[in-house]
Amino acid sequence: PAGPPTPEAMYGVLQAWAGANLSARVQVLLDVSGSMAAAVPGTGRSRMSLTLEAATQGLDLFKPTTEIGLWLFSTKLDGAKDYKELLPMRSISEQLAAGGVATLEAVKPKPGGATGLYDSILAAYQNARQSWQLGRINVVVVLTDGRNEDGDSIGLPGLLAELGRLQDPRKPLPVIGIGIGPDIDASELEQVSAA
């Protein structure tokens, strides 16, 4: 028979259990650039339609106490800014009660809008860092179908440097990049997550 589990193994199990019981605080960044209107082969639907369906169904996977906020990004969505808030940070149950699903389902890609990825990630990260909460899994999730197309942006080296500067080991805040479709730059998203 196997001996008793090592303290490390026990710690791992406890950590996983605690994680499963912690509510999250999720800042979502959703790409609404023009290319999100592109059809997904074999589905008869757009990238945006499938992404929104996944996002709204995904709400059911979280605890009702999990907090979620959602920003849209493209280029120049809000004056010179590439991003704007769609759903303010609130619990899933509050989002559902306030019609958050209908608000999300009504999102349309911006015709001709490019992908202002770097500035939007930095702004969302700064916001999530300022509102970081103890006792929650704090995370920034980026849903994009493209690579950065905003030449007037901080640039990838600048973004990685800023993300590095904003780290606090006592307050972990990972960025999870989710690429949609064949036009993404996987290494770009991986570098952002690694930073």
Side-chain angles (χ1 to χ4, degrees), residues 41-93:
T43 66
R45 296 173 62 192
S46 69
R47 294 174 183 173
M48 180 59 83
S49 163
L50 290 172
T51 301
L52 290 176
E53 182 183 351
T56 50
Q57 287 179 347
L59 290 178
D60 292 337
L61 302 175
F62 290 105
K63 298 189 158 129
T65 51
T66 281
E67 292 179 347
I68 194 162
L70 193 129
W71 290 11
L72 306 178
F73 78 98
S74 176
T75 40
K76 300 191 168 40
L77 271 193
D78 181 12
K81 289 195 304 197
D82 291 342
Y83 50 88
K84 69 175 183 186
E85 182 179 78
L86 180 75
L87 299 174
M89 185 67 70
R90 11 167 118 118
S91 71
I92 299 269
S93 53

Side-chain angles (χ1 to χ4, degrees), residues 6 8-9 17 35 60 65 75 80 107 115 118 121 149 171 189:
T6 63
E8 291 77 22
W17 179 83
S35 55
D60 292 337
T65 51
T75 40
V107 169
T115 308
Y118 301 151
I121 289 176
E149 299 168 328
K171 296 180 175 179
L189 293 177

Side-chain angles (χ1 to χ4, degrees), residues 96-107:
L96 296 175
V101 170
T103 303
L104 196 51
E105 287 174 341
V107 169

Side-chain angles (χ1 to χ4, degrees), residues 125-147:
Y125 198 86
Q126 287 168 330
N127 182 66
R129 171 58 72 213
Q130 284 162 2
S131 59
W132 192 95
Q133 279 191 359
L134 188 65
R136 286 183 179 272
I137 300 166
N138 295 259
V139 64
V140 176
V141 176
V142 184
L143 297 158
T144 182
D145 78 335
R147 57 198 69 207

